């Protein structure tokens, strides 16, 4: 079973309508997960069942789970304001995006760091990435059982529609403001991905 599916499937044997609801939501959720930093998503999926005690929460579980959500949300936002470039040694170097360019401890060599300066699109992407992560948290079975146990039963329509709605909105925003960042937690995109592919093919 995939990690994504565990976010939506209830722990007890559900009625047929609940299974259908989960399956429909899963399709939208899996496409949204691709927009999140992989490291942040992995940490959340790893620690969430432990900190929520598989949905059987005490007060301390709720506090720790809330801290995890807050830290992962911050990580999602922070990743949107990072970028990377190829260093003189051929490895990828990361830095933080600023108004003047990329701030990094690494030696940029001949790379012009000013072209990585902060843009309005970075704030737009950060907002929608948080919305995507919030959707994931809202639909997570452990979190739902911990904080709002009757939500999935009383808001079945919202559970089915929300991933699709957020996915469509995110796709539209990312089409208007395409991201060319290669920040922390994201695979290389665009021209750099093509260059790495050609390099790997040439060395094969």
């Amino acid at each position: 079973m995939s990690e994504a599916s565990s976010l939506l499937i209830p722990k007890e044997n559900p009625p047929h309508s609940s299974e259908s609801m989960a399956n429909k939501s899963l399709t939208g959720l899996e496409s949204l997960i691709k927009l999140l930093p992989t490291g942040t998503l992995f940490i959340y999926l790893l620690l969430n069942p432990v900190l929520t005690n598989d949905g059987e929460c005490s007060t301390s579980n709720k506090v720790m789970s809330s801290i995890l959500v807050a830290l992962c949300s911050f990580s999602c936002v922070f990743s949107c304001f990072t970028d990377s470039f190829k260093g003189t040694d051929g490895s990828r170097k990361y830095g933080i995006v600023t108004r003047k360019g990329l701030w990094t401890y690494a030696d940029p060599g001949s790379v012009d760091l000013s072209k990585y300066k902060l843009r309005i699109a970075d704030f737009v992407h950060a907002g929608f990435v948080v919305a995507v992560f919030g959707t994931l948290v809202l639909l997570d079975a452990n979190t739902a059982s911990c904080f709002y146990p009757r939500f999935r039963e009383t808001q079945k329509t919202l559970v089915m529609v929300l991933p699709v709605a957020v996915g469509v909105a995110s796709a539209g925003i990312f089409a208007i403001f395409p991201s060319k960042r290669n920040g922390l937690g994201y695979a290389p995109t665009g021209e750099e991905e093509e260059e790495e592919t050609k390099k790997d093919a040439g060395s094969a």
Side-chain angles (χ1 to χ4, degrees):
M1 182 182 297
S2 66
E3 291 177 328
S5 62
S6 66
L7 296 170
L8 292 165
I9 298 176
K11 296 174 178 54
E12 299 178 355
N13 293 330
H16 179 72
S17 60
S18 296
E19 290 181 351
S20 177
M21 176 184 67
N23 290 334
K24 291 179 180 178
S25 301
L26 180 59
T27 302
L29 186 61
E30 286 182 335
S31 62
L32 295 181
I33 285 176
K34 298 176 183 178
L35 300 176
L36 299 175
T38 53
T40 300
L41 179 61
F42 175 77
I43 291 174
Y44 177 77
L45 293 176
L46 179 67
L47 296 181
N48 178 57
V50 178
L51 297 184
T52 60
N53 192 30
D54 288 328
E56 303 293 332
C57 279
S58 63
T59 301
S60 59
N61 289 125
K62 291 182 178 180
V63 171
M64 290 186 293
S65 181
S66 298
I67 293 174
L68 174 65
V69 171
L71 291 176
C72 287
S73 298
F74 172 79
S75 177
C76 288
V77 173
F78 179 76
S79 296
C80 293
F81 296 96
T82 62
D83 210 335
S84 61
F85 61 93
K86 282 291 191 64
T88 54
D89 59 353
S91 62
R92 189 166 295 279
K93 309 296 183 182
Y94 291 90
I96 300 174
V97 175
T98 69
R99 289 182 297 175
K100 295 182 179 180
L102 192 66
W103 181 78
T104 178
Y105 281 116
D107 179 16
S110 59
V111 177
D112 180 14
L113 297 181
S114 63
K115 69 179 182 179
Y116 297 96
K117 63 183 179 180
L118 191 64
R119 301 182 179 90
I120 295 178
D122 297 323
F123 294 95
V124 177
H125 293 158
F128 270 85
V129 166
V130 170
V132 169
F133 182 70
T135 302
L136 182 149
V137 172
L138 184 65
L139 298 179
D140 174 67
N142 293 325
T143 304
S145 298
C146 188
F147 291 96
Y148 34 91
R150 295 192 58 80
F151 174 79
R152 296 168 66 84
E153 296 179 9
T154 59
Q155 301 294 333
K156 293 180 180 180
T157 301
L158 179 61
V159 169
M160 289 189 293
V161 172
L162 187 61
V164 178
V166 175
V168 171
S170 298
I173 291 297
F174 275 77
I176 298 172
F177 299 99
S179 177
K180 296 181 180 179
R181 300 288 186 198
N182 296 299
L184 292 169
Y186 292 99
T189 59
E191 296 179 358
E192 294 204 12
E193 185 179 16
E194 293 178 2
E195 290 177 1
E196 291 189 357
T197 302
K198 290 179 181 179
K199 182 178 178 181
D200 293 339
S203 62

